[in-house]
Amino acid sequence: MAKKKIAVLTGAGVSAESGLATFRGSGGLWGEYDPQEVASIEGWYRNRKLVLGFYNQLRKQLSEAKPNAAHLAIAGLEKDYDVTVITQNVDNLHERAGSTRVLHLHGEATKVRPENGEYDRTYSEKEVIDVGYEPVNLGDLAPNGSQLRPHIVFFGEAVPNIEKAIDIVAGADVMLIVGTSLNVYPAAGLYRYAKNETPVYLIDPEDVAIYDPKITHIREVATKGMETFISKLKECIF
Ligand code: APR
């Protein structure tokens, strides 16, 4: 029998217990930096050096972080289920935990690509370079001679993988949302593409920006919430 499909949407909260800061909670990155300065396309054109420095720092933190029990539990679901992780995170902790199908909606911190001119922001996947945890600075150029920029979806840019993400959610038998405040679209609206009969679970210790009776809220941190979810999973699709 084909394995049941689980779509897992994650946000910064799933990496909180790995020591990576979230964005909007207390101690969140957007309390320290202005996202319009360091994570928007206008910020990039205003001050490339500042933006490059922000992602260099993020990459350095990432080199010191490890997947936590929640990442491992999500990867472990693959034993019995057909799992796709759709993540808003730019870290690589899902991959390092062993998840084999991870779709990044907002890009990846370890990757950069050429800045193909102010208005031509198209690029091909083969131009994307994985720099691991190394810094990238002003003057570091791509083979085509243009400045290397973070392979991140900045505020103000399109989310190229959103159509794929919608298809994954629409085809899921269960949807799990872990560690996102559901403030940022189009990611926050993804759960609405789940079939009516598809249960949607949310793991988050706090209230999130969306209230919907369809969503079963497991009010726990990710590592604990995953245990609760897995026990519920056995009940709901067997
Ligand atoms: N376990 C589970 N959830 C947690 C934990 C934890 N240990 N700690 C915090 N959280 C929850 C918070 O309660 C919050 O709801 O994680 C969520 C983090 O929300 P945000 O900081 O808004 O992060 P996220 O939702 O991922 O942001 C979405 O915004 O800035 C952009 O591109 C950036 O991808 C990011 C997007």
Side-chain angles (χ1 to χ4, degrees):
M1 188 178 82
K3 289 183 180 179
K4 294 284 186 186
K5 293 183 175 7
I6 303 182
V8 186
L9 171 66
T10 64
V14 80
S15 300
E17 291 164 271
S18 296
L20 294 181
T22 59
F23 292 99
R24 293 172 184 81
S26 58
L29 277 176
W30 297 153
E32 215 183 314
Y33 296 90
D34 175 355
Q36 287 312 315
E37 291 304 305
V38 296
S40 79
I41 188 60
E42 296 80 10
W44 170 251
Y45 289 130
R46 252 197 310 274
N47 188 339
R48 289 173 176 72
K49 195 165 178 307
L50 178 73
V51 176
L52 287 167
F54 177 74
Y55 286 96
N56 287 346
Q57 191 195 348
L58 209 60
R59 231 172 268 127
K60 185 161 175 343
Q61 273 176 2
L62 188 47
S63 69
E64 291 145 11
K66 292 198 176 10
N68 65 56
H71 295 108
L72 294 166
I74 290 167
L77 288 174
E78 292 189 17
K79 206 164 40 54
D80 301 317
Y81 303 96
D82 176 353
V83 185
T84 304
V85 177
I86 301 164
T87 188
Q88 299 172 86
N89 299 340
V90 295
D91 66 47
N92 57 0
L93 296 179
H94 283 302
E95 291 88 343
R96 286 166 55 195
S99 286
T100 59
R101 258 207 309 278
V102 181
L103 183 68
H104 284 268
L105 289 181
H106 297 164
E108 299 177 68
T110 60
K111 295 180 180 172
V112 292
R113 68 173 196 257
E115 174 194 24
N116 285 326
E118 182 119 3
Y119 299 105
D120 166 16
R121 285 184 234 146
T122 55
Y123 63 90
S124 74
E125 276 309 312
K126 62 180 188 307
E127 289 182 300
V128 176
I129 301 167
D130 192 327
V131 292
Y133 307 115
E134 296 305 308
V136 171
N137 297 306
L138 220 47
D140 291 348
L141 307 180
N144 71 6
S146 66
Q147 172 65 45
L148 285 171
R149 60 159 275 178
H151 184 48
I152 296 287
V153 177
F154 288 139
F155 283 112
E157 292 191 307
V159 179
N161 285 334
I162 194 64
E163 295 303 326
K164 268 189 234 158
I166 289 172
D167 291 345
I168 291 160
V169 170
D173 298 302
V174 180
M175 181 175 187
L176 171 64
I177 303 171
V178 191
T180 171
S181 64
L182 293 176
N183 269 299
V184 173
Y185 288 79
L190 271 174
Y191 83 93
R192 296 199 185 104
Y193 290 93
K195 297 188 286 275
N196 286 339
E197 64 273 21
T198 297
V200 179
Y201 291 92
L202 166 77
I203 298 174
D204 197 306
E206 310 287 337
D207 285 332
V208 295
I210 288 179
Y211 173 73
D212 185 326
K214 174 176 170 91
I215 300 176
T216 305
H217 189 163
I218 300 171
R219 204 173 281 274
E220 290 169 343
V221 292
T223 49
K224 182 86 191 61
M226 279 308 298
E227 290 167 17
T228 308
F229 171 72
I230 288 167
S231 60
K232 282 179 182 290
L233 197 51
K234 298 268 181 277
E235 293 156 28
C236 87
I237 56 174
F238 272 122

